[in-house]
Amino acid sequence: MFRKTSMALAATLIMAGAAWADPIEGNWKTKDGDTAAISACGGSFCIKLTTGQYAGKSIGSMKASGGGKYVGSITKPSNGKTYSGSGALAGSSLKMTGCVLAVLCESQTWHKL
């Protein structure tokens, strides 16, 4: 009896954990066709490339700011420079923006896999 109850409780907790995941978490296809994995890490979300020329490279960190918006920093993998970053979630699309001095900005839209 105890074993069945424990198994049921464990299954419930696993399913509840998936329901509590933030919508930004998961794998995203970048503009260049690479895959970026976004996962929770220490109160924010870490972004790491998992495929392509820069696979394994950490390229940013974001915190939720409400309403499907995120702020933090983003690193351009081709030159290693880090910029002020933001993300805006709309359904299965994530618009990522990196800016220098909040004036010169570059954006691209990623799609959830």
Side-chain angles (χ1 to χ4, degrees):
M1 172 87 164
F2 178 73
R3 184 176 179 179
K4 286 183 181 179
T5 303
S6 296
M7 295 289 280
L9 179 61
T12 302
L13 291 174
I14 289 170
M15 290 188 301
W20 291 330
D22 193 280
I24 197 174
E25 291 183 86
N27 292 315
W28 297 85
K29 184 66 70 178
T30 69
K31 175 184 163 191
D32 295 331
D34 299 335
T35 300
I38 301 178
S39 58
C41 64
S44 45
F45 299 97
C46 293
I47 308 166
K48 185 175 190 176
L49 291 175
T50 58
T51 65
Q53 181 180 359
Y54 302 101
K57 187 167 183 132
S58 177
I59 61 164
S61 175
M62 301 266 173
K63 286 189 176 190
S65 60
K69 305 232 185 273
Y70 300 83
V71 294
S73 62
I74 192 86
T75 301
K76 188 171 187 176
S78 61
N79 64 15
K81 292 185 179 181
T82 301
Y83 305 95
S84 296
S86 64
L89 190 61
S92 62
S93 296
L94 178 62
K95 183 176 180 183
M96 298 293 286
T97 303
C99 297
V100 176
L101 302 173
V103 180
L104 301 171
C105 299
E106 184 178 317
S107 296
Q108 56 180 258
T109 301
W110 296 358
H111 301 281
K112 190 131 191 190
L113 295 175

